[in-house]
């Protein structure tokens, strides 16, 4: 061996040792999980981070539903281009308006899985802390179930049992998972909710976090989409019994955040966070981006229906009907209302639909629908229905009004495989986007292109392949 080679080895060997030492170091901006979850308070702090990640995820699908469905009118004042292509159903796998929920929910799931894993490793704690540890695991597990439900609702091929849904992630791991069937995802959601229900105490009632009432509500929505009518009735009833419907006096206060009445679970908005109402009314330009659809306006009894004033904000000027649900009650920070993920009104409508689907229970479904309408409409006279079909049509119409701008409408149309239709007044700026049939390419949402490029095991929804 030449001297030159010996010199090279002498010089290079320290470099090898130095590299090894550097590789063994933990990056200064990262903390290993073993150092994070040392106590129950540590776990609770991490869980707050899960809620922080969740805060904003539901916004994505509310916005997508508003743009995609028949809820909104693309206002003539919207000269920004904001959401316009989506409103006109000109979307593909790169369209952020309809794909943003994917990453938002999976990031939340990843954090929830880390909390569950960290909490499960804690031992040797006192009984009080043990009870809290179990509760925190229950909350994180329920959040995991909720996020997977919303992912399924947004990105499944359809809601038939054997159709492709989404990957169900139970551990925080970097991987390339394949899509599971709708049936399997529903089964995993039910399992998670059952486990969560056993861990969350009835005494915990903070609706900014997942309570037992929220678990019932998630279970009811899951059962509705799974067409598990008995399960929907049972879970919706449990939620209704736990959180009664708002009175006529309290209802308007829900939307100014002055009342928690009938709010089962919400994501709280505080100063500095994104104001969701800005999507519909641009404060800097004092311009309406998206207004309440004329089709919806025509359905409300503006005089007697207490929902009208909270849903429709009449601004100065001719025919300026803005969306009112997200203005909030702080005049200093308009458009910063809390996001209501679950309300008791939805539970009545879920139970009414489930009763309608069950043979011989048309009267019970009718009773739930009439009860909700009486609570909302002054002077309402009970309706009667002689067939399942007419009752379900009435329930869907009521969901259109009651749950407007709450992320439900486009999915209601999807699960019944109904077309999206717009009346001429609402299609003036839509460039012909008047009817979207279930057979159309754009009817369902695509899996995001970023996921398709990173994961060779992922399969795109059929019409986007």
């Amino acid at each position: 061996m030449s001297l030159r080679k010996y010199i090279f080895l002498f010089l290079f060997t320290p470099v090898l040792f130095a590299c090894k030492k550097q590789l063994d170091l933990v990056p200064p901006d990262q903390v290993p999980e073993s150092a994070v979850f040392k106590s129950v308070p540590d776990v609770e702090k991490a869980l707050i981070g899960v809620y922080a990640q969740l805060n904003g995820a539901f916004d994505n699908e509310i916005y997508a539903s508003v743009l995609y469905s028949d809820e909104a009118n693309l206002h003539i004042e919207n000269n920004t281009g904001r959401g316009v292509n989506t409103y006109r159903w000109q979307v593909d796998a790169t369209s952020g308006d309809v794909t943003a929920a994917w990453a938002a929910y999976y990031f939340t799931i990843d954090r929830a899985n880390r909390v569950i894993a960290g909490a499960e490793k804690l031992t040797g704690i006192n009984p009080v802390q043990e009870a809290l540890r179990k509760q925190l695991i229950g909350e994180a597990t329920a959040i995991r179930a909720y996020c997977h439900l919303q992912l399924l609702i947004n990105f499944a091929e359809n809601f038939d049992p054997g159709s492709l849904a989404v990957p169900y992630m139970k551990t925080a791991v970097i991987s390339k998972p394949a899509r599971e069937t709708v049936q399997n995802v529903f089964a995993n959601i039910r399992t998670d909710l059952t486990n969560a229900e056993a861990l969350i105490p009835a005494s915990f009632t903070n609706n900014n976090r997942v309570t037992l009432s929220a678990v019932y509500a998630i279970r009811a929505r899951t059962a509705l989409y799974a067409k598990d009518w008995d399960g929907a009735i049972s879970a919706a009833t449990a939620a209704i019994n736990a959180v009664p419907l708002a009175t006529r006096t309290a209802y308007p206060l829900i939307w100014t955040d002055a009342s928690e009445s009938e709010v089962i679970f919400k994501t709280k908005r505080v100063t500095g966070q994104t104001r969701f109402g800005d999507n519909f009314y641009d404060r800097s330009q004092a311009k309406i981006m998206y207004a309440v659809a004329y089709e919806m306006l025509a359905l409300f009894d503006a005089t007697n229906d207490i929902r009208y004033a909270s849903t429709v904000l009449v601004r100065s000027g001719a025919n300026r009907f803005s969306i009112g649900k997200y203005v909030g009650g702080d005049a200093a920070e308009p458009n910063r209302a809390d996001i209501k993920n679950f309300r008791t009104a939805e539970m009545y409508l879920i139970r009414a639909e489930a009763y309608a689907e069950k043979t011989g229970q048309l009267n019970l479904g009718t009773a739930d629908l009439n009860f909700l309408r009486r609570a909302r409409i002054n002077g309402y006279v009970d309706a009667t229905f002689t067939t399942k079909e007419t009752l379900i049509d009435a329930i869907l119409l009521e969901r259109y009004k009651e749950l407007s701008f709450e992320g439900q409408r486009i999915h209601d149309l999807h699960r019944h495989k109904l077309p999206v239709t717009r009346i001429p007044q609402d299609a003036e700026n839509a460039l012909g986007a008047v009817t979207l049939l279930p057979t159309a390419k754009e009817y369902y949402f695509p899996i995001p292109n970023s996921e398709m490029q990173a994961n060779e095991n992922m399969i795109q929804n059929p019409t986007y392949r």
Side-chain angles (χ1 to χ4, degrees):
M1 184 178 289
S2 69
L3 180 60
R4 180 180 296 180
K5 288 181 181 180
Y6 278 115
I7 294 173
F8 175 79
L9 286 173
F10 177 80
L11 294 174
F12 186 64
T13 300
V15 175
L16 288 175
F17 282 108
C19 288
K20 185 178 187 303
K21 287 182 179 180
Q22 290 177 14
L23 289 172
D24 288 340
L25 292 175
V26 177
D29 61 341
Q30 295 182 21
V31 181
E33 290 183 27
S34 59
V36 173
F37 301 108
K38 288 187 173 182
S39 68
V40 173
D42 289 341
V43 174
E44 186 158 29
K45 289 177 184 177
L47 182 63
I48 298 304
V50 178
Y51 282 107
Q53 180 63 50
L54 179 62
N55 195 335
F58 193 41
D59 299 22
N60 295 311
E61 56 179 302
I62 296 174
Y63 188 52
S65 180
V66 170
L67 297 181
Y68 228 72
S69 70
D70 52 1
E71 291 180 298
N73 173 284
L74 172 54
H75 205 276
I76 194 170
E77 295 175 13
N78 184 354
N79 60 359
T80 66
R82 189 185 306 166
V84 171
N85 286 343
T86 304
Y87 187 85
R88 293 169 178 168
W89 306 322
Q90 298 169 348
V91 300
D92 58 30
T94 66
S95 302
D97 291 336
V98 295
T99 62
W102 179 276
Y105 282 126
Y106 273 120
F107 274 125
T108 306
I109 290 166
D110 183 77
R111 289 191 179 187
N113 283 332
R114 293 175 190 275
V115 167
I116 294 168
E120 287 179 340
K121 293 175 183 176
L122 289 179
T123 58
I125 49 183
N126 64 54
V128 174
Q129 292 288 293
E130 174 63 11
L132 179 55
R133 183 187 74 90
K134 289 180 178 179
Q135 175 190 316
L136 299 175
I137 293 173
E139 289 181 66
T141 303
I143 291 170
R144 182 171 73 187
Y146 169 64
C147 290
H148 280 108
L149 172 63
Q150 297 308 125
L151 284 162
L152 182 152
I153 288 172
N154 279 273
F155 297 105
E157 286 182 339
N158 54 63
F159 304 124
D160 298 333
S163 297
L164 289 180
V166 295
Y168 205 96
M169 303 300 295
K170 297 181 181 179
T171 57
V173 61
I174 297 174
S175 61
K176 297 180 179 181
R179 298 176 71 173
E180 299 182 38
T181 65
V182 169
Q183 179 175 293
N184 286 348
V185 173
F186 279 138
N188 278 306
I189 291 170
R190 292 190 191 99
T191 298
D192 272 349
L193 292 177
T194 297
N195 292 336
E197 188 173 346
L199 295 170
I200 300 173
S203 59
F204 182 65
T205 58
N206 181 356
N207 69 355
N208 292 321
R209 289 166 59 172
V210 176
T211 63
L212 272 183
S213 302
V215 172
Y216 302 149
I218 300 167
R219 190 187 295 280
R221 189 182 289 174
T222 301
L224 177 71
Y225 278 84
K227 298 184 179 180
D228 172 13
W229 309 127
D230 288 329
I233 292 166
S234 175
T237 300
I240 289 167
N241 290 342
V243 185
L245 194 69
T247 64
R248 288 182 188 169
T249 302
Y251 177 84
L253 302 178
I254 295 171
W255 308 106
T256 62
D257 296 325
S259 174
E260 300 292 317
S261 186
E262 85 167 61
V263 179
I264 298 172
F265 176 48
K266 68 175 184 177
T267 45
K268 181 72 177 175
R269 290 300 161 86
V270 297
T271 299
Q273 290 182 316
T274 302
R275 304 187 197 185
F276 185 62
D278 285 354
N279 287 300
F280 310 125
Y281 182 76
D282 190 317
R283 291 174 293 114
S284 64
Q285 302 183 68
K287 290 182 178 180
I288 298 173
M289 299 291 102
Y290 292 92
V292 180
Y294 285 102
E295 180 178 358
M296 185 178 294
L297 289 172
L299 294 174
F300 275 114
D301 179 341
T303 303
N304 295 308
D305 195 326
I306 62 170
R307 295 171 295 192
Y308 179 83
S310 298
T311 305
V312 183
L313 178 60
V314 182
R315 297 187 181 271
S316 60
N319 297 321
R320 300 188 79 227
F321 302 104
S322 184
I323 297 167
K325 282 189 173 180
Y326 297 101
V327 175
D330 188 344
E333 293 192 67
N335 288 350
R336 190 182 56 77
D338 296 341
I339 306 297
K340 287 75 180 178
N341 300 63
F342 288 95
R343 293 191 294 116
T344 307
E346 181 188 350
M347 300 299 107
Y348 273 98
L349 291 166
I350 286 175
R351 192 170 70 175
E353 188 170 340
Y355 277 137
E357 291 285 357
K358 286 182 65 68
T359 302
Q361 297 190 358
L362 201 67
N363 60 326
L364 294 175
T366 300
D368 273 344
L369 179 61
N370 282 331
F371 180 85
L372 179 62
R373 285 178 171 176
R374 283 197 305 272
R376 302 303 197 223
I377 305 171
N378 292 313
Y380 174 74
V381 177
D382 284 357
T384 58
F385 302 92
T386 57
T387 66
K388 175 183 96 170
E389 290 73 22
T390 55
L391 176 55
I392 289 177
D393 285 346
I395 292 167
L396 288 176
L397 190 63
E398 206 62 33
R399 287 178 66 93
Y400 180 50
K401 293 187 292 180
E402 176 69 41
L403 304 176
S404 59
F405 311 110
E406 295 181 56
Q408 304 280 349
R409 179 58 175 174
I410 191 63
H411 305 312
D412 281 344
L413 297 174
H414 283 170
R415 65 190 176 85
H416 284 277
K417 298 181 181 179
L418 295 171
V420 184
T421 59
R422 293 171 177 154
I423 64 173
Q425 281 177 290
D426 291 321
E428 288 180 351
N429 300 312
L431 293 186
V434 176
T435 303
L436 183 63
L437 298 173
T439 54
K441 171 192 171 185
E442 299 84 5
Y443 186 73
Y444 292 102
F445 296 163
I447 304 298
N449 189 56
S450 57
E451 180 70 27
M452 296 303 303
Q453 291 180 332
N455 183 359
E456 62 265 28
N457 295 319
M458 185 59 56
I459 298 174
Q460 183 58 272
N461 278 334
T463 59
Y464 293 92
R465 292 174 193 166

Short mmCIF file of all heavy atoms in Angstrom, two decimals, residues 275 283 329-336:
data_model
loop_
_atom_site.label_atom_id
_atom_site.label_comp_id
_atom_site.label_asym_id
_atom_site.label_seq_id
_atom_site.Cartn_x
_atom_site.Cartn_y
_atom_site.Cartn_z
N ARG A 275 -60.57 33.36 9.59
CA ARG A 275 -62.00 33.66 9.69
C ARG A 275 -62.71 32.98 8.52
O ARG A 275 -62.57 33.40 7.37
CB ARG A 275 -62.24 35.16 9.67
CG ARG A 275 -61.49 35.92 10.76
CD ARG A 275 -61.92 37.37 10.78
NE ARG A 275 -60.97 38.21 11.50
CZ ARG A 275 -61.15 39.51 11.74
NH1 ARG A 275 -62.25 40.11 11.30
NH2 ARG A 275 -60.24 40.20 12.39
N ARG A 283 -63.95 41.10 3.29
CA ARG A 283 -64.06 42.31 4.10
C ARG A 283 -63.20 43.44 3.55
O ARG A 283 -63.57 44.61 3.62
CB ARG A 283 -63.66 42.02 5.54
CG ARG A 283 -64.66 41.14 6.29
CD ARG A 283 -64.14 40.76 7.66
NE ARG A 283 -62.98 39.88 7.60
CZ ARG A 283 -61.76 40.19 7.99
NH1 ARG A 283 -61.52 41.38 8.50
NH2 ARG A 283 -60.76 39.33 7.90
N GLY A 329 -70.48 36.85 16.44
CA GLY A 329 -71.08 37.88 17.28
C GLY A 329 -70.13 38.96 17.75
O GLY A 329 -70.50 39.82 18.54
N ASP A 330 -68.90 38.92 17.27
CA ASP A 330 -67.91 39.92 17.67
C ASP A 330 -67.79 40.97 16.57
O ASP A 330 -67.21 40.71 15.51
CB ASP A 330 -66.56 39.25 17.94
CG ASP A 330 -65.54 40.19 18.55
OD1 ASP A 330 -65.75 41.41 18.49
OD2 ASP A 330 -64.52 39.70 19.07
N ALA A 331 -68.32 42.14 16.83
CA ALA A 331 -68.29 43.19 15.81
C ALA A 331 -66.88 43.60 15.44
O ALA A 331 -66.63 44.08 14.33
CB ALA A 331 -69.08 44.41 16.31
N ALA A 332 -65.95 43.42 16.37
CA ALA A 332 -64.55 43.77 16.10
C ALA A 332 -63.86 42.74 15.22
O ALA A 332 -62.83 43.04 14.61
CB ALA A 332 -63.79 43.93 17.42
N GLU A 333 -64.42 41.53 15.17
CA GLU A 333 -63.83 40.47 14.36
C GLU A 333 -64.92 39.73 13.58
O GLU A 333 -65.20 38.57 13.84
CB GLU A 333 -63.05 39.49 15.23
CG GLU A 333 -61.81 40.07 15.87
CD GLU A 333 -60.92 39.01 16.49
OE1 GLU A 333 -60.36 38.20 15.74
OE2 GLU A 333 -60.82 38.99 17.73
N PRO A 334 -65.52 40.41 12.62
CA PRO A 334 -66.58 39.76 11.84
C PRO A 334 -66.04 38.58 11.04
O PRO A 334 -64.86 38.55 10.67
CB PRO A 334 -67.08 40.87 10.92
CG PRO A 334 -65.93 41.83 10.83
CD PRO A 334 -65.26 41.78 12.16
N ASN A 335 -66.89 37.61 10.80
CA ASN A 335 -66.58 36.40 10.02
C ASN A 335 -65.76 35.38 10.81
O ASN A 335 -65.28 34.41 10.24
CB ASN A 335 -65.85 36.72 8.71
CG ASN A 335 -66.76 37.37 7.69
OD1 ASN A 335 -67.98 37.41 7.87
ND2 ASN A 335 -66.20 37.88 6.61
N ARG A 336 -65.64 35.57 12.13
CA ARG A 336 -64.86 34.63 12.94
C ARG A 336 -65.80 33.84 13.87
O ARG A 336 -65.62 33.82 15.08
CB ARG A 336 -63.80 35.35 13.77
CG ARG A 336 -62.80 34.40 14.44
CD ARG A 336 -61.77 35.12 15.29
NE ARG A 336 -62.33 35.97 16.32
CZ ARG A 336 -62.83 35.51 17.46
NH1 ARG A 336 -62.90 34.22 17.71
NH2 ARG A 336 -63.31 36.35 18.36
#
